[in-house]
Amino acid sequence: MFKLLRYFSLTSLASIVIVSVLLAVFYRQMAMSDIFASGERHNVALTRVLANSIWPQFGAFLTNPGPLSDDALRHHADTARLRAALAQAVDGLSVLKIKIYDRNGRTVFSSEAKQIGEDKSKNAGYLAARGGVAASEITHRDKFSAFEGVIENRDLISSYIPVRPAGPDGPVVGVFELYYDVTDMLQDLNRAQLRLVGGVVLLLALLYGALFLIVRHAEKLLQRQAAERVAAQQALAVQAQDLARSNADLEQFAYVASHDLQEPLRMVSSYARLLAKRYHGRLDADADEFITFMVDGAGRMQSLIADLLLYSRVNSKPPALQLTDCQQVLAKVHHDLSLAIKESGAELTIAPLPTVTGDPSQLGQLFLNLIGNAIKFRNGTAPKIQVACAAQGAQWCFSVADNGIGINPEFGERVFEIFQRSHTTAEYPGSGIGLAVCKKIVERHGGRIWLESEVGKGSTFSFTLPAHAGDGGVPLVG
């Protein structure tokens, strides 16, 4: 059974999930970073205002509480006046608690009286602030004692902030700790994130739905043609002949389906590119990104259909056999790949090659795919590619060797199957059809193809072609 619909469905659904998750995570990280930075700036600025207003009156008391016990400090008249002054200063703001420490880490004031006298000298945030650097964190509190009493289920940014009454370059005489309520901000973030992810999923689902209908229609045509041909072949007695004809029908249909899919997909791609061209920058950043996803998805599908069409043509069109100088074929392939060779710094060595009986176009496609893969799957160094041939009895044995990334030997047979890939499209683009095309070309010329490779040490693709009487029997030097 042709697996186009299954392949398309699985890869498309996986892409939608991955893109949605990554976008949600990225958006949340960026938004949380903005909220954190904004909250810390708010706390630093408010601390400066509060310190400037209270330090002239309470500075001596805060920096040098003297031998007062913790209980005496809690009930000190200055503590009550300071609490009243701070409560008035932050009235109407989202500040839930304020604590002040002296340079020894003692809590000389807290809006929660029972915390006065606590030792914070080992606290990392306090130590950072005493060294002159503000330190903040976002926390969630199920219960929290604030100015107005105990509150529940709140998200806070707590900041330890150095106090410098003499100015930004003056000595640190104490440390403020402010608790800023950002619960509403995080709730807004959650709602915005849900809307964003929902919008992305909806847009991708619409694109997926349109392409799914096209592919499903094509597969239904395939199934109907296969059923009709099976019914017409019931009179045949040999099961092998039935299977051969069914495969031929499937391959012919793949060509027809791929060809018919081009026009609607071209329309989707064209309008997506038109949206990108006309409305880029005129909508919001999300819309630009969504349109980019549409263009990329349509482009990948066009590439997949084009490769399917090439595969179908190899199957459906018998090779036009004639005497073919492989040296000339390689010269044309070298010219076609000249830009890729130049950009990659590839070194292509071609040994003397024979004249064979074959289809020049299909043999050119065969060498183009093998050498193109050797350039694409390189390991960070300049590719070194060697093309050679040797006579082996009644056949020619060609080889294309490279120093690329190599392939695990367990995939030695699977790489020649259609849609089989050993790497993701994010690492190396492609549809997984190229080597399947190579295998079809070689088999239709009466030969076989195989792979010898080791991960990290390059690959050698070898294939045989029959040696016919009219070939001359020996390699021809170019």
Side-chain angles (χ1 to χ4, degrees):
M1 181 60 66
F2 194 61
K3 298 180 179 179
L4 178 60
L5 184 61
R6 183 187 304 175
Y7 176 80
F8 167 78
S9 299
L10 292 177
T11 56
S12 298
L13 289 174
S15 298
I16 290 175
V17 172
I18 292 172
V19 168
S20 300
V21 170
L22 290 178
L23 182 61
V25 171
F26 176 75
Y27 175 79
R28 186 167 189 85
Q29 288 179 341
M30 294 296 293
M32 287 293 291
S33 178
D34 289 343
I35 291 175
F36 181 84
S38 174
E40 185 173 80
R41 287 195 301 269
H42 169 275
N43 287 353
V44 171
L46 183 58
T47 295
R48 289 174 181 169
V49 173
L50 295 176
N52 289 337
S53 66
I54 69 172
W55 223 257
Q57 182 179 358
F58 299 101
F61 169 69
L62 294 172
T63 56
N64 186 23
L68 292 174
S69 66
D70 294 343
D71 190 60
L73 195 57
R74 293 188 191 101
H75 296 91
H76 198 279
D78 281 348
T79 299
R81 288 195 295 269
L82 179 57
R83 190 184 194 285
L86 290 175
Q88 182 179 5
V90 300
D91 184 34
L93 303 179
S94 296
V95 177
L96 301 182
K97 180 186 286 189
I98 297 176
K99 300 169 72 174
I100 304 175
Y101 310 100
D102 63 15
R103 282 191 55 81
N104 297 318
R106 186 184 184 191
T107 307
V108 294
F109 173 80
S110 173
S111 54
E112 185 178 358
K114 68 179 182 179
Q115 293 181 335
I116 293 177
E118 290 181 350
D119 182 12
K120 286 297 187 79
S121 59
K122 299 294 194 298
N123 182 275
Y126 166 79
L127 292 174
R130 197 182 70 175
V133 179
S136 304
E137 64 175 348
I138 296 180
T139 58
H140 179 82
R141 300 293 181 90
D142 294 328
K143 288 187 177 182
F144 188 76
S145 180
F147 272 106
E148 63 272 20
V150 176
I151 58 176
E152 297 181 349
N153 196 28
R154 309 303 289 176
D155 295 295
L156 312 171
I157 292 182
S158 59
S159 300
Y160 291 88
I161 304 160
V163 178
R164 292 186 173 97
D169 297 325
V172 176
V173 299
V175 173
F176 259 70
E177 184 181 7
L178 266 69
Y179 290 81
Y180 179 45
D181 188 355
V182 293
T183 304
D184 292 341
M185 292 184 183
L186 293 184
Q187 290 176 348
D188 290 342
L189 166 62
N190 292 333
R191 287 191 289 267
Q193 184 179 18
L194 287 175
R195 289 195 296 268
L196 174 63
V197 173
V200 171
V201 171
L202 177 60
L203 183 62
L204 293 178
L206 290 174
L207 177 61
Y208 168 79
L211 296 177
F212 180 86
L213 292 176
I214 296 172
V215 176
R216 187 178 66 175
H217 174 69
E219 189 164 66
K220 285 182 177 179
L221 291 177
L222 171 62
Q223 294 169 348
R224 184 164 60 248
Q225 279 199 352
E228 292 172 354
R229 282 171 169 74
V230 168
Q233 294 166 359
Q234 289 179 350
L236 297 176
V238 181
Q239 184 178 6
Q241 292 178 341
D242 289 341
L243 181 60
R245 292 188 182 184
S246 177
N247 286 339
D249 293 337
L250 289 174
E251 291 167 357
Q252 176 63 23
F253 179 78
Y255 170 79
V256 174
S258 299
H259 184 273
D260 290 347
L261 281 173
Q262 292 284 356
E263 188 56 34
L265 185 58
R266 188 179 297 114
M267 181 184 68
V268 172
S269 177
S270 298
Y271 277 102
R273 294 177 186 278
L274 187 61
L275 280 173
K277 180 178 180 181
R278 288 190 178 181
Y279 296 98
H280 180 74
R282 296 174 62 182
L283 303 174
D284 59 19
D286 291 340
D288 290 342
E289 189 176 17
F290 301 161
I291 293 173
T292 300
F293 290 155
M294 291 174 60
V295 173
D296 290 345
R300 286 194 297 271
M301 182 59 77
Q302 283 183 310
S303 177
L304 174 62
I305 292 175
D307 288 343
L308 280 172
L309 195 58
L310 173 62
Y311 184 80
S312 301
R313 286 171 177 165
V314 172
N315 283 317
S316 60
K317 179 182 177 182
L321 300 179
Q322 63 187 64
L323 284 178
T324 302
D325 184 353
C326 292
Q327 208 75 37
Q328 294 182 2
V329 171
L330 263 294
K332 185 177 185 305
V333 170
H334 188 284
H335 177 269
D336 293 342
L337 293 174
S338 58
L339 181 59
I341 292 173
K342 180 179 179 181
E343 290 179 346
S344 64
E347 178 182 340
L348 177 60
T349 302
I350 303 174
L353 301 178
T355 294
V356 301
T357 300
D359 184 321
S361 175
Q362 292 191 2
L363 292 179
Q365 185 67 52
L366 170 63
F367 282 110
L368 184 72
N369 287 0
L370 294 177
I371 297 174
N373 280 354
I375 295 173
K376 178 167 66 173
F377 296 98
R378 54 185 182 270
N379 59 7
T381 61
K384 291 184 179 181
I385 308 164
Q386 296 180 328
V387 181
C389 181
Q392 292 184 351
Q395 62 186 8
W396 297 104
C397 182
F398 292 81
S399 65
V400 179
D402 64 59
N403 63 339
I405 61 175
I407 299 173
N408 192 319
E410 67 179 272
F411 297 114
E413 294 295 331
R414 289 175 55 191
V415 295
F416 296 103
E417 297 176 7
I418 192 169
F419 296 136
Q420 293 298 316
R421 297 173 51 87
S422 57
H423 300 83
T424 65
T425 55
E427 295 172 307
Y428 297 97
S431 61
I433 296 179
L435 290 179
V437 171
C438 292
K439 182 179 180 181
K440 279 294 180 183
I441 291 175
V442 171
E443 290 178 345
R444 290 175 73 84
H445 279 75
R448 69 183 186 91
I449 187 170
W450 68 95
L451 165 67
E452 297 173 1
S453 183
E454 185 176 349
V455 175
K457 296 185 178 180
S459 303
T460 299
F461 286 88
S462 302
F463 62 92
T464 60
L465 295 178
H468 299 281
D471 292 348
V474 294
L476 300 180
V477 179

